[in-house]
Amino acid sequence: MNYELSGQTVARDASFANEVIEATGVRVDRCYQCMTCTLGCPVADVMDYPPNQVMRLIDLGAKETLLRSRTIWMCVTCETCFARCPNQIDTAAVMDYLREEATAQGVEVPEARIQLLHRVFAENIKSFGKVHEATMLMAYKLKSKDFFSDMGIGLKLFLKGKIPLFPSKVKGMQEIKRIFEKTYDKTFGGRS
Amino acid sequence: MKFSYYPGCTVHSTAIEYAKSIDAVLDVLGIELKEIEDWNCCGAAAAHSIHRQLGLSLPARNIAQAQKQVALSSQLITSCPGCFNALKRADYALRNDGETRQEIENVVGFSYSGEVKIRSLLDILNNDVPQESLTAKVKKPLNKLKLVCYYGCALVRPQAVTELDNPENPMMMDTLMDLMGVDVRDWSYKTECCGADLALTHGDLVQKIVGRLIEHAKDAGAEAIVTSCGLCQANLDMRQTGPDPLPVFYFTELMGVAMDVPNRKAWWSKHIVDPGPLLSRLGYE
């Protein structure tokens, strides 16, 4: 079967749905397009493809379209979609998979700041074992070159003693290092 | 009562007033928490969002640490819904998925025993502490305080994993507030998302989401909002615009007021929307 996407005729490819089911255990093939997920999604209006369309694109095999979508980065895993799905499809878990694939493949993503924030956060844990807000936010600001947004809020929190200057580090840092080496570093190859 | 405790990173930073009010209230109730040794970050939203194995392994190391003190308590309590969700997800995978369990055991370097039960503080206060023990400690019933309870996402969803309350209409905080005498208002936004960490990259969007929540809280007649989540509290407290912002409390802070524990001023000074004027007007401070 052929379908139209962004003005182009593309052949349906069922292998992608199988890949998603294999990787996540989520039975995306149960979706019957009732749109309950999209109705409850708090960020559907800022997605390029709302959650029900993500299910349809998986069915069609449009992997590339999804890996380059804004949708997968706007999803905050609130799991409202899964809570309400009559077919128990954990759409949010599928979003996790698509984000991981996009990051591992080095796809240029339209919401680079969100991806960067996740990476900076994870790498902050790699450095200290815990999150140290000051260095994490500093790294995010430097890498995103977004120096000025929320400076007022940041300053208020700092003055209220809610952003400690010094990080507290886990003693078993070699264990944290081992976890990262066997997971994150292996997939992303230390690429930053 | 004695439990193992996983505090999570925000107890020393953005949720410091939550941590202090938990200590004060549990002290009154005679509940002892033993922090697990050398815990690490649960990975929060970031880890699972871009790496499934990392998102399971970071909380799994904390489960490993809790296993080491299982003789003290087999119940691991956490007060942060984000941490609770991450720990429960890891525990769910370790318990139910043999292949993933092998992967994660190998990454973390431990053997999962399944002895540790992960529980939220709200669950303990609802289901392990008798209601009479709670009401016996109330010195100032807060019956002039009108508020709505806000649970957010992570505590109640996905229900198969969190094994808590009703994911659409949870009642644990409502019940506790009711026992403190609070005039709890019903509303339909209890578990609507606050925008979570989009606050850092898309402040305008989160401001809009928070604005919607505040508007509906006010429609319900609320003069304050109460929550159990550090990220919900931060977003609601910091991102309100317009006149008459609502104070956003942690539920333990209000239990502390009702139980009249000392040194509460130090908690209020950590809020962006100062709860002082409301509490003074109602005669609670």
Side-chain angles (χ1 to χ4, degrees), chain B residues 264-278:
Chain B
R264 301 194 297 265
K265 289 241 161 27
W267 311 343
W268 314 140
S269 72
K270 300 292 180 189
H271 287 238
I272 301 288
V273 178
D274 182 7
L278 173 69

Side-chain angles (χ1 to χ4, degrees), chain A residues 109-128:
Chain A
V109 305
E111 287 292 342
R113 281 186 183 179
I114 300 177
Q115 184 186 43
L116 175 68
L117 183 68
H118 291 324
R119 297 205 60 169
V120 164
F121 197 104
E123 282 156 28
N124 198 258
I125 302 172
K126 188 175 160 184
S127 305
F128 305 114

Side-chain angles (χ1 to χ4, degrees), chain A residues 2 20 33 40 50 53 56 66 72 77 82 98-99 110 112 120 143-145 156 159 185:
Chain A
N2 292 333
V20 173
Q33 290 295 319
Q53 287 185 17
R56 185 70 180 128
L66 282 169
I72 60 175
T77 329
F82 183 27
L98 297 172
R99 281 188 290 258
V120 164
K143 288 189 179 174
S144 67
K145 301 193 171 58
K156 264 189 205 168
L159 292 173
D185 295 351

Side-chain angles (χ1 to χ4, degrees), chain B residues 1-8 18 22 26 31 33-34 36 62-63 66 73-89 91-92 95 112 114-130 154-156 161-165 172 228 251:
Chain B
M1 265 187 264
K2 199 186 262 185
F3 299 101
S4 286
Y5 183 47
Y6 176 79
Y18 191 20
I22 290 168
L26 295 193
I31 298 173
L33 299 180
K34 176 81 179 85
I36 55 170
N62 293 311
I63 294 174
S73 172
S74 60
Q75 314 226 38
L76 178 62
I77 309 303
T78 180
S79 47
C80 169
C83 302
F84 172 72
N85 192 289
L87 289 164
K88 286 292 270 186
R89 276 176 193 273
D91 190 65
Y92 185 84
R95 196 177 295 274
Y112 175 75
E115 295 165 290
V116 176
K117 185 154 175 58
I118 292 140
R119 310 227 5 229
S120 88
L121 180 61
L122 268 175
D123 176 19
I124 298 292
L125 293 178
N126 268 270
N127 298 313
D128 292 37
V129 181
L155 186 70
V156 288
V161 171
T162 62
E163 300 176 291
L164 267 189
D165 217 335
M172 291 183 298
S228 71
F251 71 98

Side-chain angles (χ1 to χ4, degrees), chain A residues 48-61:
Chain A
D48 40 8
Y49 304 100
N52 70 297
Q53 287 185 17
V54 170
M55 290 297 121
R56 185 70 180 128
L57 286 167
I58 292 172
D59 175 60
L60 294 171

